[in-house]
Amino acid sequence: MADRLSKEHRSWNMSRVRCENTKPEKMLRSMLHRTGYRFRVNVAGIPGKPDIVLKKYRTVIFVDGCFWHRHEGCKKASMPKTRRSFWENKFQENIERDLRQTKQLQEHGWNVIRIWECELEKSPDLSLEAVVKKIQEVI
């Protein structure tokens, strides 16, 4: 099946995909701040450049996009119909990188929390409760 968009237009679309300061990240940061947690964002010196770093609790939080990080069973984790082998390789590399980064962080004494974007969209308050509970479990 051919792509309905030209190569240039597809490239333009993909260049608009954000990797930092996404809406789900901003929602979670806002909720955490209101709850009294203080944090840093996108700290480059930490493996994986986590979305949120709670240094006081040695905890990092990643807000993973369902499409890019392959949230199993999520409707947002659909497979593109064109260039299927490219996408399968791309997604597999993303999953393997996530696992590597999580392992590396844990080996350096960090607690790692991963939140799916759809969890924040469906029920922001429940997601915040889950995150706060995970943070409290590690402190």
Side-chain angles (χ1 to χ4, degrees), residues 33-93:
H33 194 269
R34 282 194 316 262
T35 310
Y37 287 97
R38 298 301 176 252
F39 49 84
R40 296 283 175 247
V41 294
N42 306 111
V43 178
I46 299 175
K49 196 175 174 187
D51 299 317
I52 299 171
V53 178
L54 298 153
K55 191 173 181 183
K56 178 179 179 180
Y57 304 106
R58 294 280 300 166
T59 299
V60 297
I61 302 172
F62 291 93
V63 180
D64 289 338
C66 299
F67 177 77
W68 295 105
H69 298 269
R70 310 314 295 161
H71 186 196
E72 203 170 315
C74 180
K75 67 180 179 180
K76 291 184 176 210
S78 63
M79 177 63 75
K81 291 181 178 30
T82 59
R83 301 181 62 207
R84 200 165 177 92
S85 64
F86 165 82
W87 286 108
E88 287 171 352
N89 290 335
K90 172 73 173 162
F91 295 143
Q92 189 59 40
E93 289 171 5

Side-chain angles (χ1 to χ4, degrees), residues 20-45:
E20 292 181 0
N21 295 318
T22 62
K23 187 176 177 180
E25 287 176 35
K26 289 179 180 179
M27 286 173 50
L28 182 59
R29 291 193 316 236
S30 176
M31 291 184 289
L32 285 171
H33 194 269
R34 282 194 316 262
T35 310
Y37 287 97
R38 298 301 176 252
F39 49 84
R40 296 283 175 247
V41 294
N42 306 111
V43 178

